[in-house]
Amino acid sequence: MTFSRFAPSPTGYLHIGHAWSALFSAAHGTMILRIEDIDTTRCKPEFETGIFDDLDWLGLTWPKPVRRQSDHFADYRAALARLDDMGLLYPCFCTRRDIQDEIARADSAPHGPEGHLYPGTCRNLSADDRARKMDAGAPYALRLNMDAALATLTAPLTWHDRYRGQQTATPDILGDVVLARKDTPASYHLCVTLDDHIQNVDIVTRGEDLFYASHLHRLLQYLLNLNIPEWAHHPLLLDPDGKRFAKRNNAVTLRHMRETQGKDRTDIITLVRDSLPTDGPWRWHLP
Ligand code: GLU
């Protein structure tokens, strides 16, 4: 049996873009459903129930029980501790504002696919400075020291995307990423990578917006000695204006389409088909 996965966050009702992502996942294997609710301030139980209702309505099934990330903080803490023991994490005390100011000051701040990278301000703090800030109770995030992590490699890391082919991992394009925050004990990157391993996911199916994240996840797999799955990134559905669908736009939620507009599963599939680019290998996987 091949396991794929769909991993929504219960921060709103699912929309048509999620329907595509879930249908795409189910077309690649037995779809594991995972609730990504580490940001407990934004997640709500009614949205979790909404996820189950909407997927059920789409005719999808998934193995039970469903893994809910907020039940597994101990797993993520253990993985963080392992990276820390390897000397690959450092505390970062910078606020968003500090980072912007530092970038504005620097002549050429490093740039990644999603904008400026963390300029490294806290990477070289002296042990004394770190201790002083910690003693003063300054809040901090934990960042991965990317150079130190890459220095542990003995050969380039590769990974395989079913539609884009063999990739050489270039996680440095994301810089010193945050792996834990003061208000969330573990970041998306850490949790998702660990969970895909724990849940024996064979093929990580998800949107193209996370293609760059997969480079980092491949590095985390290496550092934590985790299984290496295959990946399949799908294009994002765009509205008629060429914009991504957003959870905050109630009109495109599956719930609204079902309850207010009286649409059915076939209507959703037609809408997905009509909103996708006309060409691409993933079209084979349309229901
Ligand atoms: N939880 C993420 C989201 O809702 C998806 C993560 C993933 O598929 O890796 O956008």
Side-chain angles (χ1 to χ4, degrees):
M1 202 187 279
T2 300
F3 287 108
S4 59
R5 45 54 132 214
F6 175 57
S9 297
T11 52
Y13 289 113
L14 297 186
H15 57 60
I16 185 74
H18 293 109
W20 160 229
S21 205
L23 291 165
F24 180 84
S25 177
H28 286 78
T30 298
M31 182 189 83
I32 291 174
L33 173 63
R34 182 169 66 234
I35 300 294
E36 302 217 319
D37 62 344
I38 41 169
D39 184 351
T40 46
T41 57
R42 289 175 58 224
C43 295
K44 296 212 170 103
E46 65 259 38
F47 296 138
E48 185 180 305
T49 311
I51 290 171
F52 300 141
D53 291 347
D54 290 341
L55 296 180
D56 194 38
W57 176 65
L58 281 175
L60 297 171
T61 57
W62 53 91
K64 317 249 177 0
V66 168
R67 184 176 172 93
R68 190 186 291 119
Q69 288 186 326
S70 61
D71 293 335
H72 298 279
F73 283 128
D75 289 349
Y76 312 131
R77 262 194 296 272
L80 271 175
R82 224 167 127 184
L83 294 172
D84 202 23
D85 288 347
M86 293 165 80
L88 300 180
L89 302 182
Y90 64 87
C92 170
F93 302 91
C94 295
T95 60
R96 245 173 246 262
R97 188 59 208 259
D98 294 336
I99 296 175
Q100 277 166 4
D101 290 351
E102 180 64 32
I103 288 170
R105 255 196 313 271
D107 287 340
S108 61
H111 224 268
E114 286 154 5
H116 284 294
L117 300 181
Y118 177 63
T121 324
C122 288
R123 191 189 309 126
N124 301 316
L125 279 184
S126 68
D128 277 356
D129 282 345
R130 262 179 206 160
R132 204 169 320 113
K133 284 177 186 279
M134 296 254 192
D135 289 347
Y140 62 91
L142 290 175
R143 287 186 181 271
L144 181 69
N145 184 333
M146 185 56 77
D147 286 344
L150 291 177
T152 67
L153 297 184
T154 49
L157 292 175
T158 56
W159 56 280
H160 188 258
D161 181 280
R162 188 163 295 184
Y163 302 111
R164 294 211 202 175
Q166 195 73 0
Q167 308 289 324
T168 299
T170 54
D172 44 318
I173 52 174
L174 296 177
D176 287 359
V177 287
V178 168
L179 292 188
R181 290 185 193 283
K182 59 178 187 315
D183 40 5
T184 346
S187 74
Y188 157 71
H189 297 300
L190 187 77
C191 302
V192 87
T193 308
L194 199 66
D195 287 343
D196 285 338
H197 166 82
I198 290 173
Q199 298 193 283
N200 286 313
V201 169
D202 298 294
I203 178 156
V204 173
T205 47
R206 65 171 166 228
E208 236 163 41
D209 53 328
L210 289 166
F211 187 78
Y212 290 105
S214 299
H215 285 271
L216 168 66
H217 300 178
R218 180 65 190 87
L219 174 63
L220 293 175
Q221 285 157 359
Y222 168 80
L223 297 172
L224 294 167
N225 201 16
L226 309 177
N227 301 335
I228 306 159
E230 189 185 12
W231 278 263
H233 293 87
H234 61 74
L236 298 183
L237 278 201
L238 300 178
D239 69 14
D241 296 329
K243 294 216 193 64
R244 284 169 63 168
F245 293 101
K247 275 181 185 159
R248 61 185 173 278
N249 178 1
N250 186 43
V252 295
T253 64
L254 299 177
R255 187 185 166 90
H256 179 83
M257 291 180 178
R258 176 172 72 243
E259 293 182 354
T260 310
Q261 300 179 334
K263 289 195 183 346
D264 63 18
R265 178 176 190 271
T266 324
D267 298 322
I268 300 302
I269 291 171
T270 307
L271 189 57
V272 166
R273 282 176 177 273
D274 292 349
S275 309
L276 275 170
T278 50
D279 202 12
W282 18 262
R283 283 196 84 90
W284 307 328
H285 289 296
L286 284 175

